[in-house]
Amino acid sequence: VQLQASGGGMVQAGGSLRLSCAVSRLPRSSYAIGWFRQAPGKGREFVARISWSGGSTYYADSVKGRFTASRDNAKSTIYLQMNSLQPEDTAVYYCASTIYQSTEAFEYDHWGQGTQVTVHW
């Protein structure tokens, strides 16, 4: 499995960004693609998860109502639309694959390289 995240950048508070995660060689057994983020000096935090087949989603409370995960199976790409961004959303964002319905980073087996999101006032 290969995952490649892109779309990060710098944005003013209240603004929006859309991250993409290009997925290749995903085994049939893989259940979902998750988004995580890691701010400087902090651990990796679960953000959102979307199932590859049915498209069901799950979000961390901190982003619920502001972030939306979606997928385009034809393009083998997962998206994370991030609206109403705040400085506390600043982090490196990663996409990863898992066969579990999980919010725990250790249960995700393949990771993309990460993309930086910086939100300033």
Side-chain angles (χ1 to χ4, degrees):
V1 179
Q2 292 183 334
L3 303 101
Q4 185 168 357
S6 62
M10 187 176 293
V11 65
Q12 197 168 11
S16 298
L17 281 174
R18 188 177 78 159
L19 305 183
S20 298
C21 177
V23 183
S24 61
R25 306 176 190 170
L26 190 69
R28 291 182 179 179
S29 60
S30 287
Y31 173 78
I33 303 296
W35 287 97
F36 288 78
R37 64 187 181 186
Q38 188 164 17
K42 295 188 177 181
R44 199 159 289 192
E45 175 191 18
F46 171 81
V47 174
R49 184 184 72 235
I50 182 167
S51 67
W52 188 255
S53 56
S56 61
T57 55
Y58 184 80
Y59 300 95
D61 287 343
S62 59
V63 306
K64 202 173 294 183
R66 299 189 299 125
F67 291 11
T68 302
S70 62
R71 79 200 196 285
D72 184 334
N73 287 35
K75 295 182 178 180
S76 295
T77 300
I78 298 291
Y79 302 100
L80 185 67
Q81 178 67 42
M82 306 185 296
N83 298 329
S84 302
L85 283 162
Q86 300 300 313
E88 52 265 36
D89 295 315
T90 295
V92 177
Y93 283 71
Y94 299 89
C95 56
S97 65
T98 184
I99 61 172
Y100 304 107
Q101 298 187 47
S102 176
T103 62
E104 299 292 340
F106 72 88
E107 292 190 311
Y108 286 73
D109 50 3
H110 295 90
W111 292 78
Q113 82 286 7
T115 184
Q116 176 71 47
V117 172
T118 303
V119 186
H120 61 88
W121 291 111

